[in-house]
Amino acid sequence: MQIDQVIIDANIATMVASENDDYGIIENGAVLLSGDKIAWLGPMAEMPQVDLLSLPVYSAGGAWLTPGLVDCHTHIIFGGNRSQEFERRLQGESYESIAQQGGGIATTVRATRAAEPEELFIKAKQRLDALMREGVTTVETKSGYGLDLATEIKLLEVAALLQEHHPVHIESTFLGAHALPPEYKGDADGYIDLVCEQMLPAVAQQKLATAVDVFCENVGFNQAQTERVFKRAKELGFNVKLHAEQLSNMHGTALAARYQALSADHLEHLDEAGVKAMKDADMVAVLLPGAFYYLRETKYPPIELLQRYEVPIAIATDFNPGTSPLCSLQLMMNMACTLFRLTPGQSLLGVTRYAAKALGLNDRGQLAANMRADIALWDIEHPSQLSYEFGTAPLKKLWIQGELRNTNSLK
């Protein structure tokens, strides 16, 4: 066994959960790294014999190791911001009124279409840096603020540049069916024609995304339109996922289950039939407490039903300019506990093991032999502290694919 690095004197939350332990705790443990993989981990007393004098050895000093965190639902690439609309809403204007005056998502679409790729890259990198400082090692990002072929491609090309020039792993999702662009007002079917006949083939040909998402909602696209996108996406070899049941019960989750979607996300209005469909299709429920908080929602996702049916629950930031401009996965962990009443262990599972599953990634999200060496070292007394407090910057070290990264340089 070729060993390149050793971490000793660590408490380890493997996130290989058992019936009585969400964290999969190993106390006084060690981890051996080989290249970009974990070669071995376990109690220090059982560590294989290696020549510690010839290797980089990091003593955790009793601090805690977890898998690198995974933010499985974001929209980090876009132009402009909507802070003035936020202020108007606080003064009593409704979202609908602002949208009717050309605001809302149309504001972001205009700014994104006008933005140069370099500008989009710089802003997105700043957001990615902020997530990395919190121990995030994998991020999904969606297109969806272009709503025309050229800009959707531009957004996905910026995501590819981020992947090339940033250590955090990027999973790109095509969300052309995010909203109806102004030039297709009153012609949603015509816009779906464009998505299916031009956008999806171009994205597939250039290999710019691994998954396709749709906003299935009464202010988005209906079931029939969503299914047309899913059919075409599957024909072209994409995974699919869905923004579903956020504002109403459109039964999009059950549709997504029929297409073996990776996840359905938001889910405030999900019913028991939809939960059962998720279980049968082995889907992940991605909860987005930031959007719930920011929109001051009162309808909670069906947490008890999801848990009763043993549907894995992931947590993500949903970072976006309109409904969740909150670029902190640790804040989402706290919100998942305080708003949705998850336990800290369930919250940490939601940003590690289950978040990776929501992206179809089975090589990360837990610490075990042969897993990708994405590892965070935290100055905490117990993993529950990651959900308990926010803003204290407890990250000490971060390995991404076995390489120790200097997160201090990002501050």
Side-chain angles (χ1 to χ4, degrees), residues 336-358:
C337 295
T338 57
L339 297 177
F340 295 161
R341 297 296 187 261
L342 296 188
T343 67
Q346 291 166 342
S347 176
L348 188 54
L349 274 171
V351 297
T352 53
R353 182 177 173 183
Y354 294 151
K357 181 177 173 62

PDB file of all heavy atoms in Angstrom, residues 336-358:
ATOM      1  N   ALA A 336     -31.759  23.993   9.127  1.00  0.00           N
ATOM      2  CA  ALA A 336     -32.413  22.685   9.009  1.00  0.00           C
ATOM      3  C   ALA A 336     -32.813  22.158  10.376  1.00  0.00           C
ATOM      4  O   ALA A 336     -33.842  21.487  10.519  1.00  0.00           O
ATOM      5  CB  ALA A 336     -31.484  21.696   8.305  1.00  0.00           C
ATOM      6  N   CYS A 337     -32.006  22.483  11.385  1.00  0.00           N
ATOM      7  CA  CYS A 337     -32.328  22.059  12.752  1.00  0.00           C
ATOM      8  C   CYS A 337     -33.381  22.961  13.380  1.00  0.00           C
ATOM      9  O   CYS A 337     -34.363  22.481  13.954  1.00  0.00           O
ATOM     10  CB  CYS A 337     -31.060  22.054  13.604  1.00  0.00           C
ATOM     11  SG  CYS A 337     -29.812  20.849  13.102  1.00  0.00           S
ATOM     12  N   THR A 338     -33.191  24.275  13.278  1.00  0.00           N
ATOM     13  CA  THR A 338     -34.085  25.191  13.983  1.00  0.00           C
ATOM     14  C   THR A 338     -35.440  25.330  13.297  1.00  0.00           C
ATOM     15  O   THR A 338     -36.472  25.442  13.969  1.00  0.00           O
ATOM     16  CB  THR A 338     -33.441  26.579  14.116  1.00  0.00           C
ATOM     17  OG1 THR A 338     -33.097  27.072  12.816  1.00  0.00           O
ATOM     18  CG2 THR A 338     -32.200  26.522  14.978  1.00  0.00           C
ATOM     19  N   LEU A 339     -35.464  25.323  11.963  1.00  0.00           N
ATOM     20  CA  LEU A 339     -36.717  25.490  11.231  1.00  0.00           C
ATOM     21  C   LEU A 339     -37.415  24.164  10.959  1.00  0.00           C
ATOM     22  O   LEU A 339     -38.631  24.054  11.094  1.00  0.00           O
ATOM     23  CB  LEU A 339     -36.465  26.213   9.904  1.00  0.00           C
ATOM     24  CG  LEU A 339     -35.920  27.637   9.985  1.00  0.00           C
ATOM     25  CD1 LEU A 339     -35.661  28.190   8.587  1.00  0.00           C
ATOM     26  CD2 LEU A 339     -36.883  28.547  10.739  1.00  0.00           C
ATOM     27  N   PHE A 340     -36.630  23.144  10.554  1.00  0.00           N
ATOM     28  CA  PHE A 340     -37.222  21.872  10.127  1.00  0.00           C
ATOM     29  C   PHE A 340     -37.107  20.771  11.181  1.00  0.00           C
ATOM     30  O   PHE A 340     -37.567  19.659  10.973  1.00  0.00           O
ATOM     31  CB  PHE A 340     -36.568  21.402   8.825  1.00  0.00           C
ATOM     32  CG  PHE A 340     -36.809  22.299   7.642  1.00  0.00           C
ATOM     33  CD1 PHE A 340     -35.982  22.225   6.526  1.00  0.00           C
ATOM     34  CD2 PHE A 340     -37.839  23.221   7.639  1.00  0.00           C
ATOM     35  CE1 PHE A 340     -36.200  23.039   5.419  1.00  0.00           C
ATOM     36  CE2 PHE A 340     -38.059  24.041   6.540  1.00  0.00           C
ATOM     37  CZ  PHE A 340     -37.236  23.949   5.424  1.00  0.00           C
ATOM     38  N   ARG A 341     -36.442  21.071  12.293  1.00  0.00           N
ATOM     39  CA  ARG A 341     -36.338  20.160  13.430  1.00  0.00           C
ATOM     40  C   ARG A 341     -35.556  18.881  13.107  1.00  0.00           C
ATOM     41  O   ARG A 341     -35.798  17.831  13.699  1.00  0.00           O
ATOM     42  CB  ARG A 341     -37.727  19.805  13.981  1.00  0.00           C
ATOM     43  CG  ARG A 341     -38.504  20.994  14.539  1.00  0.00           C
ATOM     44  CD  ARG A 341     -37.780  21.574  15.756  1.00  0.00           C
ATOM     45  NE  ARG A 341     -38.585  22.609  16.405  1.00  0.00           N
ATOM     46  CZ  ARG A 341     -38.422  23.918  16.226  1.00  0.00           C
ATOM     47  NH1 ARG A 341     -37.484  24.355  15.396  1.00  0.00           N
ATOM     48  NH2 ARG A 341     -39.165  24.790  16.874  1.00  0.00           N
ATOM     49  N   LEU A 342     -34.617  18.962  12.179  1.00  0.00           N
ATOM     50  CA  LEU A 342     -33.687  17.849  12.021  1.00  0.00           C
ATOM     51  C   LEU A 342     -32.718  17.849  13.190  1.00  0.00           C
ATOM     52  O   LEU A 342     -32.461  18.888  13.810  1.00  0.00           O
ATOM     53  CB  LEU A 342     -32.902  17.972  10.710  1.00  0.00           C
ATOM     54  CG  LEU A 342     -33.673  17.907   9.393  1.00  0.00           C
ATOM     55  CD1 LEU A 342     -32.692  17.841   8.233  1.00  0.00           C
ATOM     56  CD2 LEU A 342     -34.633  16.744   9.342  1.00  0.00           C
ATOM     57  N   THR A 343     -32.154  16.701  13.504  1.00  0.00           N
ATOM     58  CA  THR A 343     -31.098  16.653  14.505  1.00  0.00           C
ATOM     59  C   THR A 343     -29.792  17.114  13.864  1.00  0.00           C
ATOM     60  O   THR A 343     -29.647  17.087  12.631  1.00  0.00           O
ATOM     61  CB  THR A 343     -30.915  15.235  15.039  1.00  0.00           C
ATOM     62  OG1 THR A 343     -30.400  14.398  13.981  1.00  0.00           O
ATOM     63  CG2 THR A 343     -32.231  14.651  15.549  1.00  0.00           C
ATOM     64  N   PRO A 344     -28.806  17.541  14.657  1.00  0.00           N
ATOM     65  CA  PRO A 344     -27.512  17.895  14.074  1.00  0.00           C
ATOM     66  C   PRO A 344     -26.889  16.746  13.273  1.00  0.00           C
ATOM     67  O   PRO A 344     -26.245  16.986  12.248  1.00  0.00           O
ATOM     68  CB  PRO A 344     -26.672  18.266  15.296  1.00  0.00           C
ATOM     69  CG  PRO A 344     -27.666  18.813  16.265  1.00  0.00           C
ATOM     70  CD  PRO A 344     -28.879  17.927  16.090  1.00  0.00           C
ATOM     71  N   GLY A 345     -27.089  15.506  13.733  1.00  0.00           N
ATOM     72  CA  GLY A 345     -26.566  14.370  12.973  1.00  0.00           C
ATOM     73  C   GLY A 345     -27.243  14.234  11.626  1.00  0.00           C
ATOM     74  O   GLY A 345     -26.581  13.983  10.608  1.00  0.00           O
ATOM     75  N   GLN A 346     -28.553  14.395  11.592  1.00  0.00           N
ATOM     76  CA  GLN A 346     -29.277  14.334  10.327  1.00  0.00           C
ATOM     77  C   GLN A 346     -28.874  15.487   9.413  1.00  0.00           C
ATOM     78  O   GLN A 346     -28.770  15.320   8.194  1.00  0.00           O
ATOM     79  CB  GLN A 346     -30.781  14.373  10.597  1.00  0.00           C
ATOM     80  CG  GLN A 346     -31.321  13.125  11.258  1.00  0.00           C
ATOM     81  CD  GLN A 346     -32.729  13.317  11.815  1.00  0.00           C
ATOM     82  OE1 GLN A 346     -33.198  14.440  12.004  1.00  0.00           O
ATOM     83  NE2 GLN A 346     -33.412  12.207  12.090  1.00  0.00           N
ATOM     84  N   SER A 347     -28.633  16.651  10.004  1.00  0.00           N
ATOM     85  CA  SER A 347     -28.209  17.800   9.227  1.00  0.00           C
ATOM     86  C   SER A 347     -26.844  17.561   8.578  1.00  0.00           C
ATOM     87  O   SER A 347     -26.642  17.870   7.399  1.00  0.00           O
ATOM     88  CB  SER A 347     -28.150  19.038  10.130  1.00  0.00           C
ATOM     89  OG  SER A 347     -27.659  20.151   9.435  1.00  0.00           O
ATOM     90  N   LEU A 348     -25.914  16.984   9.340  1.00  0.00           N
ATOM     91  CA  LEU A 348     -24.588  16.712   8.775  1.00  0.00           C
ATOM     92  C   LEU A 348     -24.656  15.620   7.713  1.00  0.00           C
ATOM     93  O   LEU A 348     -23.975  15.704   6.684  1.00  0.00           O
ATOM     94  CB  LEU A 348     -23.612  16.334   9.891  1.00  0.00           C
ATOM     95  CG  LEU A 348     -22.136  16.201   9.494  1.00  0.00           C
ATOM     96  CD1 LEU A 348     -21.627  17.452   8.788  1.00  0.00           C
ATOM     97  CD2 LEU A 348     -21.268  15.883  10.708  1.00  0.00           C
ATOM     98  N   LEU A 349     -25.488  14.602   7.922  1.00  0.00           N
ATOM     99  CA  LEU A 349     -25.720  13.615   6.859  1.00  0.00           C
ATOM    100  C   LEU A 349     -26.240  14.298   5.601  1.00  0.00           C
ATOM    101  O   LEU A 349     -25.899  13.919   4.480  1.00  0.00           O
ATOM    102  CB  LEU A 349     -26.729  12.563   7.325  1.00  0.00           C
ATOM    103  CG  LEU A 349     -26.205  11.371   8.109  1.00  0.00           C
ATOM    104  CD1 LEU A 349     -27.366  10.560   8.677  1.00  0.00           C
ATOM    105  CD2 LEU A 349     -25.323  10.482   7.224  1.00  0.00           C
ATOM    106  N   GLY A 350     -27.072  15.332   5.807  1.00  0.00           N
ATOM    107  CA  GLY A 350     -27.695  16.021   4.683  1.00  0.00           C
ATOM    108  C   GLY A 350     -26.750  16.842   3.847  1.00  0.00           C
ATOM    109  O   GLY A 350     -27.086  17.208   2.716  1.00  0.00           O
ATOM    110  N   VAL A 351     -25.568  17.170   4.374  1.00  0.00           N
ATOM    111  CA  VAL A 351     -24.591  17.931   3.592  1.00  0.00           C
ATOM    112  C   VAL A 351     -23.340  17.095   3.294  1.00  0.00           C
ATOM    113  O   VAL A 351     -22.334  17.630   2.834  1.00  0.00           O
ATOM    114  CB  VAL A 351     -24.196  19.247   4.301  1.00  0.00           C
ATOM    115  CG1 VAL A 351     -25.414  20.156   4.446  1.00  0.00           C
ATOM    116  CG2 VAL A 351     -23.551  18.985   5.651  1.00  0.00           C
ATOM    117  N   THR A 352     -23.435  15.807   3.552  1.00  0.00           N
ATOM    118  CA  THR A 352     -22.321  14.912   3.227  1.00  0.00           C
ATOM    119  C   THR A 352     -22.847  13.721   2.413  1.00  0.00           C
ATOM    120  O   THR A 352     -23.000  13.811   1.203  1.00  0.00           O
ATOM    121  CB  THR A 352     -21.593  14.441   4.504  1.00  0.00           C
ATOM    122  OG1 THR A 352     -22.526  13.871   5.430  1.00  0.00           O
ATOM    123  CG2 THR A 352     -20.865  15.598   5.173  1.00  0.00           C
ATOM    124  N   ARG A 353     -23.158  12.646   3.102  1.00  0.00           N
ATOM    125  CA  ARG A 353     -23.544  11.405   2.428  1.00  0.00           C
ATOM    126  C   ARG A 353     -24.769  11.572   1.523  1.00  0.00           C
ATOM    127  O   ARG A 353     -24.760  11.147   0.366  1.00  0.00           O
ATOM    128  CB  ARG A 353     -23.808  10.348   3.493  1.00  0.00           C
ATOM    129  CG  ARG A 353     -24.171   8.984   2.964  1.00  0.00           C
ATOM    130  CD  ARG A 353     -24.320   8.028   4.138  1.00  0.00           C
ATOM    131  NE  ARG A 353     -24.827   6.738   3.748  1.00  0.00           N
ATOM    132  CZ  ARG A 353     -25.103   5.764   4.607  1.00  0.00           C
ATOM    133  NH1 ARG A 353     -24.904   5.959   5.900  1.00  0.00           N
ATOM    134  NH2 ARG A 353     -25.564   4.610   4.182  1.00  0.00           N
ATOM    135  N   TYR A 354     -25.823  12.187   2.034  1.00  0.00           N
ATOM    136  CA  TYR A 354     -27.051  12.278   1.246  1.00  0.00           C
ATOM    137  C   TYR A 354     -26.961  13.359   0.174  1.00  0.00           C
ATOM    138  O   TYR A 354     -27.591  13.242  -0.885  1.00  0.00           O
ATOM    139  CB  TYR A 354     -28.252  12.493   2.154  1.00  0.00           C
ATOM    140  CG  TYR A 354     -28.533  11.314   3.064  1.00  0.00           C
ATOM    141  CD1 TYR A 354     -29.126  11.495   4.310  1.00  0.00           C
ATOM    142  CD2 TYR A 354     -28.188  10.011   2.691  1.00  0.00           C
ATOM    143  CE1 TYR A 354     -29.384  10.417   5.142  1.00  0.00           C
ATOM    144  CE2 TYR A 354     -28.438   8.928   3.528  1.00  0.00           C
ATOM    145  CZ  TYR A 354     -29.032   9.137   4.754  1.00  0.00           C
ATOM    146  OH  TYR A 354     -29.286   8.067   5.576  1.00  0.00           O
ATOM    147  N   ALA A 355     -26.192  14.405   0.422  1.00  0.00           N
ATOM    148  CA  ALA A 355     -25.982  15.414  -0.619  1.00  0.00           C
ATOM    149  C   ALA A 355     -25.212  14.827  -1.792  1.00  0.00           C
ATOM    150  O   ALA A 355     -25.510  15.123  -2.957  1.00  0.00           O
ATOM    151  CB  ALA A 355     -25.248  16.621  -0.039  1.00  0.00           C
ATOM    152  N   ALA A 356     -24.220  13.992  -1.499  1.00  0.00           N
ATOM    153  CA  ALA A 356     -23.494  13.323  -2.581  1.00  0.00           C
ATOM    154  C   ALA A 356     -24.423  12.405  -3.366  1.00  0.00           C
ATOM    155  O   ALA A 356     -24.374  12.354  -4.606  1.00  0.00           O
ATOM    156  CB  ALA A 356     -22.313  12.539  -2.005  1.00  0.00           C
ATOM    157  N   LYS A 357     -25.282  11.681  -2.663  1.00  0.00           N
ATOM    158  CA  LYS A 357     -26.245  10.797  -3.331  1.00  0.00           C
ATOM    159  C   LYS A 357     -27.184  11.597  -4.225  1.00  0.00           C
ATOM    160  O   LYS A 357     -27.551  11.144  -5.319  1.00  0.00           O
ATOM    161  CB  LYS A 357     -27.041  10.017  -2.285  1.00  0.00           C
ATOM    162  CG  LYS A 357     -28.074   9.045  -2.857  1.00  0.00           C
ATOM    163  CD  LYS A 357     -28.762   8.267  -1.739  1.00  0.00           C
ATOM    164  CE  LYS A 357     -29.917   7.411  -2.273  1.00  0.00           C
ATOM    165  NZ  LYS A 357     -29.491   6.384  -3.229  1.00  0.00           N
ATOM    166  N   ALA A 358     -27.561  12.802  -3.791  1.00  0.00           N
ATOM    167  CA  ALA A 358     -28.446  13.646  -4.596  1.00  0.00           C
ATOM    168  C   ALA A 358     -27.804  14.063  -5.911  1.00  0.00           C
ATOM    169  O   ALA A 358     -28.501  14.448  -6.859  1.00  0.00           O
ATOM    170  CB  ALA A 358     -28.851  14.888  -3.801  1.00  0.00           C
TER     171      ALA A 358
END
